[in-house]
Amino acid sequence: MAGPTEDGIQRGGPIARLLIYGVLVLAALYFLMPLYVMLITSFKTLPQISHGNLFSLPAPFSTGAWSSAWSNACTGSDCTGLHRYFWNSVAFTVPAVAFSTLFGAINGYVLTKWRFRGSELVFGLLLGGTFVPFQMFLLPMARVLGLIGLDNSLAGLTLVHTVYGIAFTTLFCRNYYVTIPDELVKAARIDGAGFIATFRHVILPISTPILMVCVIWQFTQIWNDFLFGVVFTSGSEHPITVALNNLVNTSSTGVKRYNVDMAGAIITALPTLVVYIVAGRYFMRGLTAGAVKG
């Protein structure tokens, strides 16, 4: 006999589903409304924005704001557009994500399958690093970058994000690798595989979900970062987030160009959206894989 909860769901199933879907649709519309306004505003001309309705569709449809934001938008005294700063962000985000994810995977592998004396202390210190506000790293990092000659450079910004991200990727990978049976590693050792061979041929092939979690997490954090970018770079070395801020707060004509600002904001956000679309299906699987061992 069905229990009260199950029986209640059976009797009120269609109504319950209708209410749930209705709430979900309303929530989706609520959260997508700002994106809708941004998108249609970016395709409007300034007169349409000034005299039209906020939610009205652009008529005529114009891509001038996108062209201006990408190629001709002024950021301070520089009028080269966002394209230069877009590639700046690509240049340091991609290696920083790759290095921090790789080192995090290796650390998690060592801390779970090749434990050594003091490994728990090391993990505790790395875990503690995730709770330290990144503002506290600004002065020490600036000092170190100056000493090694990487201040005001994309290479220095890559190093900063790599070092700061390792604590998070290590935490993710360690919790995931705990769920992998130790017998797999022991069997590889019996077959003659060493540290690197075991990691490459046994651990990595089954690490796709957690690696995708690390990639999405790190890419989002690094690409959207503003503070490190504005502190550790200047001028033509700025990332796109800093350039977008300059674009929004600067106008050579004194007229607020909302269409250009919206186009620039969407251009800045597109890469993270693409990453979520491509790798998002692995995200929840990777996060929940390490929740329970066994």
Side-chain angles (χ1 to χ4, degrees), residues 2-9 11:
T5 302
E6 182 181 350
D7 186 58
I9 292 176
R11 291 199 303 267

Side-chain angles (χ1 to χ4, degrees), residues 40-251:
I40 63 173
T41 302
S42 68
F43 290 110
K44 292 180 180 180
T45 61
L46 285 178
Q48 293 178 46
I49 297 173
S50 301
H51 306 292
N53 185 280
L54 180 65
F55 300 100
S56 62
L57 295 174
F61 190 87
S62 173
T63 59
W66 287 76
S67 176
S68 180
W70 180 253
S71 301
N72 303 313
C74 293
T75 57
S77 60
D78 189 359
C79 293
T80 58
L82 295 179
H83 64 91
R84 172 194 293 180
Y85 307 100
F86 180 92
W87 296 116
N88 282 352
S89 289
V90 171
F92 74 81
T93 299
V94 172
V97 170
F99 291 145
S100 59
T101 300
L102 176 62
F103 291 139
I106 294 175
N107 288 343
Y109 168 55
V110 171
L111 291 173
T112 55
K113 307 305 178 186
W114 292 74
R115 294 181 180 177
F116 53 91
R117 180 176 297 179
S119 60
E120 293 300 323
L121 175 61
V122 172
F123 176 69
L125 292 175
L126 287 171
L127 181 62
T130 63
F131 295 97
V132 179
F134 55 83
Q135 291 86 350
M136 296 182 62
F137 292 98
L138 294 181
L139 289 179
M141 284 183 174
R143 177 62 175 166
V144 171
L145 292 179
L147 291 175
I148 62 179
L150 292 180
D151 54 311
N152 193 31
S153 68
L154 295 179
L157 199 55
T158 301
L159 178 62
V160 167
H161 282 296
T162 298
V163 172
Y164 185 72
I166 285 177
F168 294 95
T169 57
T170 298
L171 174 62
F172 295 153
C173 291
R174 187 263 184 190
N175 290 344
Y176 182 83
Y177 291 153
V178 164
T179 65
I180 298 176
D182 294 337
E183 287 74 15
L184 290 177
V185 176
K186 294 178 181 178
R189 292 183 185 178
I190 294 174
D191 291 338
F195 177 87
I196 297 178
T198 303
F199 178 71
R200 179 180 177 184
H201 298 292
V202 177
I203 300 298
L204 278 184
I206 57 178
S207 299
T208 300
I210 197 61
L211 293 180
M212 290 301 101
V213 169
C214 292
V215 167
I216 292 176
W217 175 274
Q218 283 297 95
F219 189 93
T220 303
Q221 297 297 315
I222 296 173
W223 184 273
N224 292 333
D225 172 70
F226 175 82
L227 185 60
F228 285 167
V230 77
V231 170
F232 298 121
T233 63
S234 64
S236 61
E237 300 294 312
H238 276 324
I240 193 171
T241 49
V242 179
L244 176 64
N245 177 74
N246 295 337
L247 167 66
V248 171
N249 292 288
T250 304
S251 176

Side-chain angles (χ1 to χ4, degrees), residues 32 43 54 60 243 258 275 283 291:
L32 289 176
F43 290 110
L54 180 65
Y258 292 103
V275 169
F283 191 70

